[in-house]
Structures are given as C-alpha cells and as structure tokens.
Amino acid sequence: MELKYEFYIGASPEKVWDVLVSPEGTRHTFFGCVIKSTFKEGDRFEYVGPGGDGDETVHVYGHILSFAPHEQFSYVEHPGPSYHANHEELESRVTFTLEKAGECTKLTLVNDGWSEGHPSFENAKSHWWMILSNIKTYAETGKTLNMGW
C-alpha cells in the first residue's frame, strides 16, 4: 500500500522546508502539532500537540531515516499511544522530497511501508490532502486554511 502526492508550491525549497520542520510551520499545518526531534538519522521524533491526552498528546512518533535539509525528510512513524493499544506494532514510512521547479518547489510525499491491516491507512488518505494543502497555502501566503480544527 502506498499513498503518493505531488504538489507545486509557489515558494522556495528553503521556505517549504521551514514549514515542514520548524515548530511554527508544523503547528500551523499539522493539526496544531509541533515536531520534536534532533533530526539526526536514527533519532526519535514526535508530533506533539492538543489532543485526547491534553496539550502534550503524542499523535505520531518514530525515528528519522534521512534528513537532508531543503531536499528530503524521511521517517518511520507509529500512531501515538492513546490511539491504539498496539501502536508499537503499527508503522508506515513517510518521505517528503523537495525539488526546485522554476520559481516553485515540487513537494512529493510518499507514505508507504504500511503494517498489514494498519487502522490509520484510510484516515491518512484524506488527512494528507488537508495537511499538504495547508503546507502549500502557508508557504505561499503565511496564512492557513480554516478547516474547522
């Protein structure tokens, strides 16, 4: 199973990268979450934000596979502990790739390597569209889409 999305964004790769990894960028585009990590290969990361466990709910966690600023960011993720009792068994891989395309940035997202029967697969199909649309809008305008979050 693989989810793949390609977006063209009217902003530089540096600007899009900042939206993907900075606390301000992720807070505005990833459902109010901040990514916490050293961003070194093999190190842990967490998307933390408001949720069922309070303001510090861990929504997604895992480890960094690759981190090449302005080019590629890849990680293995698991749903947060409050979502599924077997969260450690459930995983997928997420890879963001940035390429300069004229005055724009081509952002490609591939979400693959899903554990068999992963319960988050169906939600991910629609959530990635919302997140990527927000990344595009925020990188281009500095504003986010009001999706009722």
Side-chain angles (χ1 to χ4, degrees), residues 23-42:
E24 181 181 345
T26 59
R27 185 178 299 111
H28 287 299
T29 59
F30 282 80
F31 302 101
C33 290
V34 172
I35 187 170
K36 295 183 177 185
S37 181
T38 63
F39 297 109
K40 294 179 183 166
E41 284 185 26

Side-chain angles (χ1 to χ4, degrees), residues 1 8 15 26 31 42 46 61 71 74 80 88 96 116 125-127 130 132-133:
M1 296 188 302
Y8 287 84
K15 176 68 175 173
T26 59
F31 302 101
E46 298 176 328
Y61 72 94
E71 295 174 12
S74 184
E88 293 173 333
F96 294 98
E116 189 172 333
K125 284 182 183 178
S126 61
H127 287 162
M130 295 186 326
L132 292 167
S133 295

Side-chain angles (χ1 to χ4, degrees), residues 90-102:
L90 303 171
E91 69 178 36
S92 71
R93 178 178 51 209
V94 173
T95 303
F96 294 98
T97 304
L98 305 180
E99 300 171 64
K100 191 153 181 57

Side-chain angles (χ1 to χ4, degrees), residues 107-140:
L107 170 60
T108 303
L109 167 76
V110 176
N111 189 184
D112 61 0
W114 290 87
S115 301
E116 189 172 333
H118 197 307
S120 299
F121 181 77
E122 288 303 316
N123 282 342
K125 284 182 183 178
S126 61
H127 287 162
W128 278 128
W129 283 114
M130 295 186 326
I131 291 168
L132 292 167
S133 295
N134 230 358
I135 289 169
K136 176 176 172 49
T137 300
Y138 188 69
E140 291 176 346

